[in-house]
Amino acid sequence: LVVDEIEHLINHYGVRHFEIIDDTFTVNRHHVEALCDEIVARNLGPKINAWCFSRVDRADPRFLAKMKNAGINWVFMGLESGNDTVLLGVNKRQTVDGIKRAVDAVHTAGIHVGGNFVFGLPEDTLASMGQTLALARELNVEYANFFIMMAYPGARLRETAVGALPQRWSQYGFFTPDALPLCNARVTAREIIEFRDRSFMNYFSGERYQALIEEKFGAGTLRFLRERVLSLRIERSVA
């Protein structure tokens, strides 16, 4: 039924780009393989450019190849941190070595990687956040999200927060001027914000990253990055 809908959107509306919004698409291997096999059987893979969410421990070469053949060209994973102690502190059940192997497996399948990194995790320090940025630069994935730790309403982290918590909805926005991340005993909210914004510029302006973008996506994409993204600055007002 899902592939019926995909085929209908392609044939009747010319839709090509799809987001698979499952929280973690690759959790159920049987589900992944059955869906991809049906897409391939109908010869829809070349007509699709899709992306999905996965996990480091679900980067299985067996179905990554099937995903690529089914038109899934991007996989976003929660890589989170470049420090094993920080990863353990948020119960990620993954290591830096495992992260590297997972990214290699996805790339080997010919799939682009979106890496999600977080600054300000409970065990973070300025040094560990530096390790996270260093890991991101080493992996040099096709896109990197640099998030800041937030204590949303209802989250257990609010109960142990050591600093001020957001009082306005705008303060929960990652890119709003008054964004207020969760700090810990070792790094302040301002330090986290400033580190995140520097990391964004550091990563996307990197020579190695820009060479990757030009090679994989062309000079037009690189020009867009330089002229329409890196030319902008986020104004912050965190105390």
Side-chain angles (χ1 to χ4, degrees):
L1 292 175
V2 171
V3 181
D4 284 346
E5 293 179 358
I6 291 174
E7 191 168 32
H8 179 78
L9 289 169
I10 292 172
N11 292 337
H12 293 273
Y13 297 98
V15 174
R16 179 168 178 262
H17 303 287
F18 294 86
E19 175 190 355
I20 301 173
I21 62 171
D22 300 42
D23 183 57
T24 308
F25 174 60
T26 55
V27 164
N28 187 321
R29 288 179 169 86
H30 174 74
H31 171 65
V32 172
E33 292 184 333
L35 181 66
C36 292
D37 286 345
E38 183 65 20
I39 290 173
V40 171
R42 302 192 196 187
N43 197 33
L44 296 176
K47 302 176 182 178
I48 293 173
N49 181 38
W51 70 280
C52 70
F53 295 104
S54 184
R55 285 200 324 230
V56 166
D57 63 351
R58 287 294 183 269
D60 188 330
R62 181 182 66 181
F63 62 65
L64 284 172
K66 289 193 174 189
M67 287 166 56
K68 176 62 178 178
N69 289 334
I72 299 174
N73 294 315
W74 285 84
V75 166
F76 278 74
M77 294 187 288
L79 308 182
E80 316 298 16
S81 175
N83 180 282
D84 284 337
T85 300
V86 173
L87 291 169
L88 184 63
V90 289
N91 197 30
K92 277 301 290 186
R93 301 179 184 178
Q94 66 191 38
T95 64
V96 172
D97 182 64
I99 289 170
K100 293 177 181 179
R101 285 188 278 108
V103 169
D104 283 345
V106 176
H107 278 154
T108 298
I111 298 174
H112 304 312
V113 174
N116 296 327
F117 301 91
V118 182
F119 297 123
L121 291 165
E123 298 298 323
D124 253 332
T125 63
L126 286 174
S128 67
M129 292 193 300
Q131 289 176 306
T132 299
L133 175 59
L135 176 63
R137 288 176 59 87
E138 177 185 346
L139 296 174
N140 201 39
V141 295
E142 287 84 347
Y143 190 80
N145 283 312
F146 294 114
F147 295 119
I148 47 181
M149 191 68 179
M150 285 287 181
Y152 292 107
R156 290 183 180 179
L157 286 170
R158 291 179 72 89
E159 301 171 8
T160 57
V162 297
L165 293 171
Q167 302 299 311
R168 302 180 298 276
W169 285 115
S170 61
Q171 292 178 304
Y172 289 106
F174 293 122
F175 309 109
T176 53
D178 59 343
L180 183 61
L182 181 69
C183 65
N184 62 39
R186 292 162 293 279
V187 282
T188 67
R190 175 174 285 279
E191 287 173 328
I192 293 167
I193 284 280
E194 291 178 347
F195 193 94
R196 183 264 160 210
D197 290 347
R198 287 197 305 273
S199 296
F200 181 94
M201 296 301 297
N202 183 290
Y203 185 84
F204 287 98
S205 63
E207 182 177 334
R208 183 164 166 251
Y209 176 75
Q210 293 197 2
L212 173 77
I213 292 304
E214 184 171 30
E215 176 188 351
K216 291 197 172 185
F217 307 114
T221 302
L222 177 59
R223 184 166 56 252
F224 180 90
L225 172 66
R226 289 173 171 172
E227 297 177 0
R228 301 290 298 277
V229 178
L230 294 176
S231 63
L232 304 177
R233 293 292 182 273
I234 299 175
E235 296 183 4
R236 302 290 194 179
S237 58
V238 179

